Amino acid sequence: MRWPLITVLLLAACSNEANHLGNPLMLPVTGVSTVIGNAAYEKRRGQVELIVKSNYDTIRQEIGAGGGPALTKAMDAAGIPVSERPARIIQLQSDIGIYHASPGALVTALMVYGG
């Protein structure tokens, strides 16, 4: 008698309505995809961080100058579309004071711009 009740409850939980958990039957799949997505993000962030910290002074100068090879390399690693780069450089220039104090803030900004 319990199994029909459990089945009905599980099926009732599968709706198209918005909720914070999503479809409970899809939790294993979404969990695996989240782990894979996080690993890919962390790898990309690590590459950006290595480029920024290795070329920190040069990248800050290139931001002020409107671009350069080290900044381009960091933007490539962050996945910032080429068509968006001029606008992103202007944003970086407007916040340059933050990046003078913290290379981590620059890494974060590049990752946000890269999506």
Side-chain angles (χ1 to χ4, degrees):
M1 186 67 176
R2 284 187 179 163
W3 288 109
L5 179 60
I6 292 171
T7 302
V8 169
L9 289 174
L10 284 174
L11 290 175
C14 301
S15 72
N16 291 330
E17 298 296 318
N19 63 57
H20 69 285
L21 294 177
N23 183 338
L25 298 177
M26 295 300 293
L27 285 177
V29 174
T30 56
V32 169
S33 66
T34 298
V35 167
I36 292 169
N38 287 347
Y41 174 85
E42 289 300 324
K43 180 180 177 186
R44 189 166 49 101
R45 183 180 175 88
Q47 292 170 342
V48 173
E49 189 168 352
L50 181 63
I51 293 166
V52 168
K53 288 185 177 180
S54 298
N55 303 287
Y56 184 57
D57 292 328
T58 302
I59 290 174
R60 287 186 307 153
Q61 291 170 357
E62 290 178 359
I63 290 170
L71 180 58
T72 297
K73 187 176 178 182
M75 289 182 153
D76 286 342
I80 300 172
V82 175
S83 61
E84 293 182 15
R85 291 181 185 185
R88 299 306 184 188
I89 290 172
I90 292 169
Q91 288 176 307
L92 291 171
Q93 288 172 337
S94 69
D95 294 329
I96 196 68
I98 296 168
Y99 310 130
H100 279 298
S102 171
L106 179 55
V107 170
T108 300
L110 292 170
M111 292 302 295
V112 168
Y113 297 155

